[in-house]
Amino acid sequence: MTLPMRRWLLVLAPALLTLLLGGGAARADTPTAQTFGIQPASATEPDSRGTFSYSVTPGALVKDHVAVWNYGDQPLTLRLYPADAFNTDSGGYDVLPEGKPSTQAGSWVRTAADSLTLPARSRQIVPFTLAVPATASPGDHAAGIVVSLRRESKDAKGNAVTVDQRVGARVQIRVSGALHAELKVLDARAVYHPSLNPLDSGRTTVSYSVRNTGNVRLGGRQAVRVSNLLGSIATGAAPADLQELLPGNTVSYHFDVSGSYPVLWSTAGITVDPLAVGADKDPQLSSTVAKQGFASIPWALLVVLLPFALIGYALRQRRHNRLTGIPALPAPVVAGALLAAALLLGQLPLAPHASAAEAGTLASPADTGTLAFDYETGHDDDAIDVLTSGLCPAAGDYLAVRITGAGFPAEGAPLTGTVAAAAYRRAANGGYVLPLANTLRVVANRSGAGPLHGAYTVTASCRAKVAPTSLRDFTGVLNFGTPTSWQAVTVAPPGVIQEAAADPQTGTAPTAGQTGAAPAGAAPGVRRTAAVRTASSGTPVGSWLVMGAGVLLLGWIGVPYARRRLAGRGAGEDVK
């Protein structure tokens, strides 16, 4: 920092998500409703490419162009620079900030200008060159060309604040040579957390990292299951698919799995199936599997049964010293202990265990809101912002947007990654402003949907970070009259999306986590349960075994006691 009181705040424009997740034309809205953007172009005009993608040989020199737009009503001075790309710990796609030197693919790109002054409502085509080093390694290399707007202001305390807003276009480079596609699971850990309820199965916290140890970018489908010595299997809600993991990068996961009854020792198994990204032609893809054993001891149940075991031990000791009569322990105490044990063991068949019927959440019409688009008509290559009618049920929820309709898979195709709801701007209506990370054309091409036609539903789903179960949905519909043009059924009120600007006091937008009020439109009493599946829907084998052991314990304690009791009564009758 150049001044003691100076704070540098980096505010990522909504359309930066387009850069991070591979969209086409990127556009940013500034706090004063000035907009700017960037997209691939020819020497004369912008083109239809979603990203810059090249297949080259070492030492190749590529010349291309990028279009920079000023959509606003005022002149703008913008910075233009290339930067290395990388994955964040959570799997997001990011680029180095300006001022941090690039050492990989970002250093291969040179733009003809690093600063542009654009009149209102204008664009400029900027040439750039991609010089691939002769020593470049085979495989994928990623970078971005970023345009940024930096503004100076002061907060309420008089501190200098710099707001740096960025959008960009991705640069994907594949250098020819031997390709190797591989994902590895590293640092797998599993820890069992017993429930205070001795009849509950508790939960297992599983954490691990997935690293791309090959030289091509990869997606991935994941599965995690926990099994015990008795063969009972619990499968946690599947982690979200890896969208794109760059070579040498790592993404980490941490979540809970319920449903496996503790029987002293269990095993967590993690499977990751590599997937090609987009139209990439990768070498043979092989799954990776990691297993981690861990202790799963039912401490609560053992604590409950321990007094019964002590009572049995005491009675057995007395048996050696006295042939008849009542034990030294008062009869009511022993009778109460036996009754408590009987009640406890009688409930074991009803012990909670996960099943397909228990998975999911309670759905109701109140869980669904509306999704409005920022303009009434548009094209399949437009950058789109959508507005939710309310908030997610909890401030810590995540949001993911997908599209369903003709040509897309039944589950839909993603329009964004899974992003913390608190990261999005809040609008005047109390909802979120969600910039779609990909243009509809890019999504259709990647999904093999072909020309778009008819009605398509766009759904923003509130969910936990790693559980796909929806906690609340917001839906909107686009009608495609032609393969390239659409009309929105629901349109956001004029200015609402644009006015969802950064707080002038802090330079950041208010989030759901910063408000004390309950989320607007949240359904009261919504039960949120992580989806869990088990191998069987009946009583767990472990429960029956524990119950059987309890019955034997009761017999061991109760039968000798009853015999001594009867013997004592008989002796008393003889005396009479």
Side-chain angles (χ1 to χ4, degrees):
M1 298 183 181
T2 56
L3 295 173
M5 298 298 291
R6 189 177 185 87
R7 295 189 302 149
W8 296 86
L9 301 178
L10 178 63
V11 179
L12 297 180
L16 179 56
L17 294 175
T18 307
L19 164 65
L20 303 187
L21 296 175
R27 185 179 70 184
D29 293 351
T30 71
T32 56
Q34 292 296 317
T35 57
F36 60 98
I38 185 172
Q39 71 179 104
S42 66
T44 57
E45 61 182 357
D47 57 35
S48 60
R49 288 177 292 174
T51 61
F52 294 105
S53 182
Y54 308 104
S55 294
V56 297
T57 57
L61 180 65
V62 178
K63 295 183 178 181
D64 210 332
H65 301 79
V66 62
V68 180
W69 294 81
N70 177 5
Y71 297 106
D73 298 325
Q74 300 177 10
L76 292 178
T77 297
L78 304 170
R79 294 281 300 166
L80 182 68
Y81 61 93
D84 287 343
F86 62 93
N87 288 111
T88 63
D89 288 341
S90 60
Y93 191 101
D94 205 350
V95 294
L96 296 177
E98 186 178 13
K100 188 169 184 178
S102 296
T103 59
Q104 302 299 321
S107 64
W108 304 353
V109 180
R110 292 286 184 272
T111 58
D114 55 14
S115 180
L116 305 173
T117 299
L118 299 180
R121 299 190 178 280
S122 67
R123 73 168 187 240
Q124 183 172 336
I125 305 293
V126 180
F128 70 88
T129 57
L130 168 64
V132 182
T135 57
S137 61
D140 290 338
H141 304 264
I145 300 177
V146 182
V147 59
S148 71
L149 175 64
R150 178 169 294 186
R151 291 187 172 182
E152 305 285 343
S153 62
K154 290 187 177 181
D155 62 16
K157 297 181 180 181
N159 297 321
V161 176
T162 298
V163 178
D164 187 9
Q165 205 156 351
R166 306 184 300 164
V167 294
R170 292 182 53 180
V171 180
Q172 174 64 34
I173 307 162
R174 174 162 289 190
V175 179
S176 62
L179 300 181
H180 176 55
E182 182 181 48
L183 296 178
K184 280 191 175 180
V185 177
L186 305 173
D187 303 324
R189 294 183 177 85
V191 178
Y192 176 70
H193 304 283
S195 172
L196 293 178
N197 178 0
L199 306 179
D200 199 352
S201 58
R203 60 186 173 86
T204 302
T205 298
V206 180
S207 60
Y208 62 95
S209 298
V210 179
R211 184 173 179 81
N212 187 340
T213 55
N215 62 1
V216 297
R217 60 178 184 167
L218 289 170
R221 182 165 292 121
Q222 307 172 76
V224 177
R225 70 178 190 173
V226 174
S227 59
N228 59 27
L229 292 175
L230 302 175
S232 174
I233 298 175
T235 304
D241 288 350
L242 276 169
Q243 297 300 312
E244 180 179 354
L245 189 60
L246 300 174
N249 283 244
T250 302
V251 59
S252 300
Y253 294 93
H254 180 93
F255 59 96
D256 292 335
V257 177
S258 301
S260 178
Y261 204 85
V263 288
L264 303 182
W265 190 257
S266 299
T267 302
I270 302 136
T271 303
V272 179
D273 298 321
L275 301 174
V277 177
D280 287 355
K281 296 185 182 301
D282 295 332
Q284 183 177 0
L285 303 177
S286 300
S287 299
T288 179
V289 179
K291 294 185 177 181
Q292 179 65 38
F294 61 97
S296 57
I297 302 174
W299 293 110
L301 184 60
L302 293 179
V303 168
V304 171
L305 294 179
L306 180 61
F308 304 144
L310 293 177
I311 293 173
Y313 176 78
L315 293 177
R316 192 171 184 82
Q317 289 297 104
R318 295 280 183 176
R319 184 180 180 184
H320 293 289
N321 300 327
R322 304 180 63 179
L323 297 177
T324 61
I326 306 299
L329 289 174
V333 173
V334 178
L338 294 175
L339 179 60
L343 291 174
L344 174 66
L345 295 171
Q347 295 179 52
L348 277 177
L350 305 178
H353 60 283
S355 68
E358 293 175 329
T361 61
L362 292 180
S364 70
D367 294 337
T368 302
T370 59
L371 201 64
F373 298 84
D374 53 352
Y375 37 94
E376 184 176 2
T377 60
H379 296 85
D380 63 344
D381 61 348
D382 289 336
I384 302 174
D385 291 350
V386 292
L387 174 68
T388 64
S389 59
L391 301 181
C392 291
D397 289 337
Y398 283 69
L399 276 164
V401 185
R402 67 185 187 278
I403 183 172
T404 55
F408 290 111
E411 67 275 12
L415 292 173
T416 70
T418 302
V419 180
Y424 289 111
R425 296 180 298 157
R426 291 272 298 279
N429 73 329
Y432 304 107
V433 175
L434 310 177
L436 302 187
N438 295 298
T439 66
L440 301 183
R441 179 183 297 177
V442 169
V443 175
N445 290 338
R446 287 183 175 179
S447 303
L452 301 178
H453 61 278
Y456 290 84
T457 301
V458 178
T459 304
S461 298
C462 300
R463 47 170 287 183
K465 184 175 182 181
V466 298
T469 306
S470 176
L471 307 173
R472 191 183 187 198
D473 286 342
F474 302 90
T475 60
V477 176
L478 295 176
N479 288 314
F480 271 81
T482 71
T484 60
S485 62
W486 51 261
Q487 183 170 8
V489 173
T490 307
V491 182
V496 172
I497 289 181
Q498 288 74 17
E499 290 171 3
D503 185 335
Q505 301 297 322
T506 64
T508 59
T511 67
Q514 297 169 332
T515 61
V526 173
R527 184 182 71 176
R528 301 174 54 184
T529 306
V532 178
R533 299 182 298 277
T534 58
S536 64
S537 58
T539 302
V541 176
S543 293
W544 289 110
L545 289 179
V546 174
M547 185 176 68
V551 171
L552 293 177
L553 176 62
L554 277 177
W556 183 53
I557 296 174
V559 172
Y561 176 81
R563 286 178 176 175
R564 287 194 298 271
R565 180 75 175 178
L566 293 173
R569 287 181 177 178
E573 292 174 356
D574 292 342
V575 172
K576 291 178 181 179

